[in-house]
Amino acid sequence: MGVKERKERDRQEMRGLILKSAHRLFLEKGFDQISLRNIAEAIEYSPATIYLYFKDKNEIVHALHQTGFKLLNERFQMLVKYEQPFERLMEMGKAYIKFATEDPSLYELLFMRAEPMEHVSDCLGEEWREGDRAFEFLVRTVTQCQQQGYFSGLPAHSFSMMIWSFIHGLCSLRISRHLGHVKDVRESNISFDDIMTTTYATFSQALEKLKG
């Protein structure tokens, strides 16, 4: 490995360390309660080191969101092998739930924390590329379903938003453990994973009936 490659590797490792520490601190104490100095202290470097990689907290949270949505998009791209769009739509829901439940702290930062989102859209003046890609993949899949005669008469964008809202709500209830507050769950030995599976299966059946 040459000097240039080694420097780039070291740079990426430091950047990753900063993001990992910032992620943990944002979730523990909230975006507004954390300063760049706090992040620097967590990784045992000076604040000046942070400024070599990020100009402020907004850039850090923007990078965290971009990284998280990139991982989600990678999962979605694996589903292009499903040529039948309705089948792909069902697999997207499963992939989304798996993404949320396998890394709940990342999902919480992306979709359940209010503070960072106030700053993301203004960061760097950039469009929200990775986040847009994830939702556009859903809209495109729904549109392809409609081209085959499914979900006729329903606006593709609004119907996609409805689908996402349901799946997000289910994941949020799972991560926050609010599923355990449901009377039927408290009085039985049903696991959260079983609830997720059966609820999603019911949702799938509902979509089947809406296919037209």
Side-chain angles (χ1 to χ4, degrees):
M1 180 183 294
V3 174
K4 182 178 180 181
E5 288 80 7
R6 188 178 301 110
K7 286 184 176 179
E8 179 59 24
R9 181 200 62 189
D10 292 344
R11 176 177 174 79
Q12 291 303 318
E13 288 180 353
M14 176 57 72
R15 190 174 186 274
L17 179 61
I18 293 170
L19 291 175
K20 182 178 180 180
S21 297
H23 181 191
R24 177 177 58 81
L25 290 171
F26 290 155
L27 288 175
E28 287 179 356
K29 300 183 178 180
F31 180 81
D32 291 332
Q33 302 304 314
I34 297 300
S35 66
L36 290 182
R37 180 174 294 279
N38 297 141
I39 298 171
E41 290 174 352
I43 64 174
E44 300 183 342
Y45 279 85
S46 70
T49 300
I50 307 290
Y51 284 111
L52 294 175
Y53 297 86
F54 303 98
K55 71 177 184 180
D56 55 25
K57 287 196 300 181
N58 289 354
E59 274 200 8
I60 292 176
V61 78
H62 182 273
L64 286 170
H65 276 72
Q66 288 290 82
T67 300
F69 276 109
K70 183 178 179 180
L71 293 173
L72 178 59
N73 281 317
E74 287 174 355
R75 296 199 180 211
F76 283 171
Q77 287 304 312
M78 294 173 62
L79 304 179
V80 297
K81 63 183 180 182
Y82 293 98
E83 296 182 2
Q84 216 292 331
F86 187 80
E87 182 181 8
R88 189 189 320 130
L89 182 63
M90 294 300 95
E91 292 301 321
M92 282 183 68
K94 296 176 184 177
Y96 188 96
I97 291 173
K98 188 174 182 180
F99 173 80
T101 54
E102 286 186 349
D103 194 343
S105 66
L106 177 59
Y107 187 84
E108 183 179 354
L109 180 69
L110 292 178
F111 295 109
M112 298 172 64
R113 301 289 292 195
E115 302 97 334
M117 288 306 297
E118 297 175 3
H119 306 275
V120 166
S121 60
D122 294 331
C123 186
L124 304 177
E126 294 181 357
E127 294 182 358
W128 195 226
R129 294 190 303 271
E130 294 296 337
D132 287 342
R133 282 182 58 202
F135 189 65
E136 287 169 359
F137 189 80
L138 173 59
V139 175
R140 185 163 61 251
T141 299
V142 167
T143 300
Q144 291 172 350
C145 285
Q146 291 182 318
Q147 291 170 349
Q148 294 192 357
Y150 306 153
F151 315 134
S152 58
L154 296 172
H157 191 280
S158 298
F159 189 61
S160 298
M161 183 64 73
M162 187 199 76
I163 293 173
W164 175 43
S165 297
F166 172 83
I167 303 299
H168 166 65
L170 186 60
C171 291
S172 298
L173 289 171
R174 170 67 173 87
I175 291 171
S176 67
R177 304 187 68 82
H178 279 79
L179 284 176
H181 297 168
V182 179
K183 182 176 183 293
D184 290 345
V185 177
R186 295 199 310 271
E187 296 177 351
S188 68
N189 293 319
I190 303 174
S191 71
F192 285 174
D193 288 339
D194 287 341
I195 298 170
M196 296 284 286
T197 299
T198 55
T199 303
Y200 186 71
T202 301
F203 178 70
S204 300
Q205 293 171 6
L207 290 186
E208 285 276 3
K209 295 181 181 299
L210 284 173
K211 283 170 62 176

